[in-house]
Amino acid sequence: KTTGLNIYYFNINNNMVNVDNYESFISMDLSEYAGKWIAIDNGKVIAEDYDFKKVFQKAKELIPSNKRPFITKIRTKVNKILL
C-alpha cells in the first residue's frame, strides 16, 4: 500500500539512477499517469502500469543491463500547502 507520496528509487542493485532521468521527471507533465508506476529513461516514459513489478520488468527489458531506470509512482492528487 502506498501513502500517496512519490517514491524514488535511486539505488537499485547498488547502481545509481541517472540524474538526467530525475531532472526529466520533475519537468514533465505526468498527469495522464496518475495512480500508476512509471519508469523513465532518456527523458521518456518507457513503462507504465498500476503494478510496480510489471513496470520494473518492462524497464529491464528495454534498457541495457548497465543502466537503471528512474521509477516512481505518480500521485493521484496534489497536496496543497497553505502559508
Side-chain angles (χ1 to χ4, degrees):
K1 185 175 182 178
T2 61
T3 62
L5 300 174
N6 284 334
I7 301 169
Y8 308 114
Y9 291 90
F10 285 103
N11 192 341
I12 301 172
N13 298 329
N14 296 318
N15 293 303
M16 295 304 289
V17 170
N18 185 322
V19 173
D20 292 335
N21 289 330
Y22 173 74
E23 290 176 353
S24 294
F25 161 72
I26 61 174
S27 67
M28 297 169 78
D29 175 12
L30 299 168
S31 57
E32 67 184 279
Y33 303 105
K36 293 183 177 182
W37 289 94
I38 63 167
I40 297 174
D41 187 51
N42 291 326
K44 298 178 186 173
V45 175
I46 60 167
E48 51 141 324
D49 202 290
Y50 292 102
D51 184 321
F52 171 81
K53 290 180 183 180
K54 289 179 182 178
V55 171
F56 184 73
Q57 185 61 41
K58 182 70 173 178
K60 281 177 46 177
E61 293 170 7
L62 292 173
I63 63 172
S65 62
N66 65 334
K67 288 182 68 182
R68 298 292 178 252
F70 177 85
I71 299 175
T72 188
K73 184 166 186 178
I74 305 303
R75 296 183 298 181
T76 55
K77 62 181 178 179
V78 176
N79 295 327
K80 294 181 181 178
I81 300 174
L82 300 175
L83 301 176

